[in-house]
Amino acid sequence: MNRIYMDNAATTAISAEALNAMLPCFGQVFGNASSIHSTGRDARKKLEEARRTVAGLLGAKPNEIYFTSGGTESDNWAIKGAAFANRHKGNHIITSQIEHHAVLHTCQWLEKQGFEITYLPVDEYGVVNPADVEKAITDKTILISVMAANNEIGTIQPIAEIGKIAREHKITFHTDAVQAVGAIHVNVNDWNVDMLSLSAHKFHGPKGVGALYIRTGCKAEQFLHGGAQERGRRATTENLPGIVGLAAAMEKAVGSLEENACKIMYLRDKLIDGILSAIPHTRLNGHRMQRLPGNVNVSVRFIEGEALLLRLDLAGIAGSSGSACTSGSLDPSHVLLAIGLPHEIAHGSLRLSLSDNNTEEEVDEVLKVLPEIVTSLRAMSPLYEQFLQEEK
């Protein structure tokens, strides 16, 4: 059975370009980039080439890019680093209710350290209103953190507008762009951001490596202490193969962004329209147009999302019900609750996320299999039976 992979928001398959770039770093260029001998200098050259590549693709300077272990570390460093570096100015942080848990849990931890957090609401499509951001600002506000695009429902936020507000008020602005980089145009200057998080495995790079952009002059305390790596701001020997793979994958993704986005959006829209027309009592979550090219998130009433995922998996189709980081949780998605869905509908969500590796034939197969599975599951649902009786 040929398996269909539609969980690219959780992770992507590594690209040939990234893999080929990494391979020499496991053999002939294996040195420690901090060593001063020629083997170390060869590694340092690869490291700095990767830094220049990433910086150029973001519109940043090379000395503003710091390599990390992934999006979660980048988010933690940005938020904790900025919070403690600016604590003498105030203790108020603004974020949104639909952030990734790497941001939300970090903010909740900071509350225990004496910081005050404002969690902004979103509208029914998951959009943060820039006016709400400005209204929430106080004389104690030191940081604003709003994600560029939501990992569950795919809604793209008005980051440039929020960044402009933050700049006018001289407040540090961070965005979690983990889902955005490689999928939509990202430029730190156009967006008016001071810090930006990204992760390689979301755009066909390796797992366990990411980056944090910190604008020159932006204050953020050191996150990991030990050695003097990353210009003294992030201790630990750099993951050279991962960093080189990140840069190669990002270069490929950004270089083919327009072409891939057109293809992926066509498949996305066909999948959305097919599901909504073939399966009654379904709804699209997130903004219809202002969404990531590959994101499809629908709620299917009268069934449990977990049962749907298991049946899809048996049919050879990989999807998810939300963030991979919370897949073990029985609680409904905080994102779906924030856009106003009741618990019972939020529990029946399905996220299918596409990449340039997906095909129209795969979409056709999903549109053939999914309605059959939903019909089968609803036949066993007392809630659906009760609903049909009430409709008569």
Side-chain angles (χ1 to χ4, degrees):
M1 176 175 63
N2 291 325
R3 296 194 62 82
I4 297 172
Y5 185 77
M6 290 190 178
D7 198 15
N8 290 280
T11 197
T12 55
I14 193 166
S15 67
E17 289 80 1
L19 182 58
N20 290 335
M22 293 171 69
L23 287 175
C25 300
F26 293 109
Q28 59 264 45
V29 191
F30 64 88
N32 187 320
S34 296
S35 299
I36 62 172
H37 47 63
S38 60
T39 305
R41 293 198 303 273
D42 288 344
R44 170 62 62 181
K45 183 180 178 182
K46 285 272 191 185
L47 178 68
E48 297 310 326
E49 284 175 356
R51 197 186 310 278
R52 286 193 294 273
T53 296
V54 172
L57 294 170
L58 292 175
K61 302 169 187 173
N63 64 0
E64 296 174 320
I65 302 299
Y66 298 86
F67 292 112
T68 69
S69 64
T72 293
E73 184 193 332
S74 295
D75 286 344
N76 271 259
W77 183 5
I79 295 168
K80 292 176 183 175
F84 286 108
N86 294 285
R87 197 169 193 175
H88 63 288
K89 296 181 181 178
N91 68 339
H92 180 232
I93 297 170
I94 298 170
T95 189
S96 84
Q97 294 177 359
I98 64 166
E99 298 296 310
H100 189 278
H101 282 116
V103 170
L104 292 179
H105 288 174
T106 300
C107 287
Q108 289 162 12
W109 181 83
L110 284 172
E111 286 184 280
K112 297 176 183 177
Q113 315 308 312
F115 290 87
E116 295 181 3
I117 315 293
T118 295
Y119 300 93
L120 294 175
V122 294
D123 66 16
E124 62 183 307
Y125 304 111
V127 179
V128 175
N129 187 339
D132 289 343
V133 176
E134 189 153 31
K135 287 177 189 174
I137 293 173
T138 73
D139 59 356
K140 298 292 186 182
T141 305
I142 54 174
L143 175 66
I144 298 169
S145 181
V146 175
M147 70 195 326
N150 187 264
N151 52 302
E152 292 192 36
I153 60 175
T155 297
I156 298 170
Q157 301 296 343
I159 294 300
E161 295 175 55
I162 296 171
K164 185 172 181 287
I165 291 167
R167 185 150 296 178
E168 288 170 351
H169 289 269
K170 296 181 171 58
I171 298 168
T172 299
F173 179 43
H174 164 254
T175 188
D176 174 345
V178 167
Q179 292 288 336
V181 172
I184 61 175
H185 286 292
V186 176
N187 183 286
V188 294
N189 299 306
D190 294 344
W191 279 6
N192 302 303
V193 297
D194 299 300
M195 295 187 287
L196 179 146
S197 304
L198 62 89
S199 187
H201 76 109
K202 304 297 187 180
F203 47 81
H204 301 293
K207 299 174 185 66
V209 62
L212 177 64
Y213 158 77
I214 305 177
R215 185 181 293 277
T216 301
C218 176
K219 293 182 179 179
E221 287 194 5
Q222 186 175 352
F223 188 58
L224 293 180
H225 298 85
Q229 292 88 355
E230 294 301 281
R231 300 182 300 288
R233 300 189 74 171
R234 193 227 181 217
T236 195
T237 300
E238 294 93 348
N239 172 9
L240 185 62
I243 290 168
V244 168
L246 181 155
M250 188 170 168
E251 189 169 38
K252 170 73 185 308
V254 174
S256 54
L257 192 149
E258 296 286 354
E259 177 186 351
N260 287 341
C262 288
K263 171 193 171 183
I264 297 168
M265 284 192 287
Y266 169 75
L267 297 179
R268 176 200 69 188
D269 292 343
K270 180 173 183 175
L271 192 52
I272 290 172
D273 292 339
I275 291 172
L276 297 183
S277 62
I279 306 174
H281 313 301
T282 54
R283 57 156 282 159
L284 177 68
N285 297 317
H287 200 284
R288 181 63 200 251
M289 304 302 296
Q290 195 175 312
R291 71 187 300 124
L292 290 170
N295 180 282
V296 176
N297 188 303
V298 294
S299 287
V300 185
R301 292 185 65 188
F302 312 114
I303 62 170
E304 287 286 335
E306 186 176 1
L308 181 56
L309 291 180
L310 291 173
R311 290 287 294 272
L312 282 170
D313 189 45
L314 287 172
I317 300 166
S320 75
S321 58
S323 170
C325 300
T326 58
S327 60
S329 173
L330 294 177
D331 295 328
S333 159
H334 69 286
V335 175
L336 297 183
L337 295 180
I339 64 173
L341 296 192
H343 280 234
E344 63 273 16
I345 295 180
H347 265 303
S349 67
L350 171 67
R351 182 185 71 179
L352 298 172
S353 45
L354 309 167
S355 81
D356 53 300
N357 289 336
N358 290 114
T359 66
E360 189 166 8
E361 290 73 23
E362 290 178 332
V363 170
D364 290 337
E365 180 64 17
V366 171
L367 290 176
K368 174 187 172 186
V369 171
L370 184 58
E372 297 171 355
I373 292 175
V374 171
T375 298
S376 174
L377 290 174
R378 281 178 174 170
M380 298 182 285
S381 169
L383 290 176
Y384 189 54
E385 185 178 349
Q386 180 183 346
F387 172 80
L388 293 176
Q389 291 296 327
E390 291 173 353
E391 271 205 326
K392 290 182 180 179

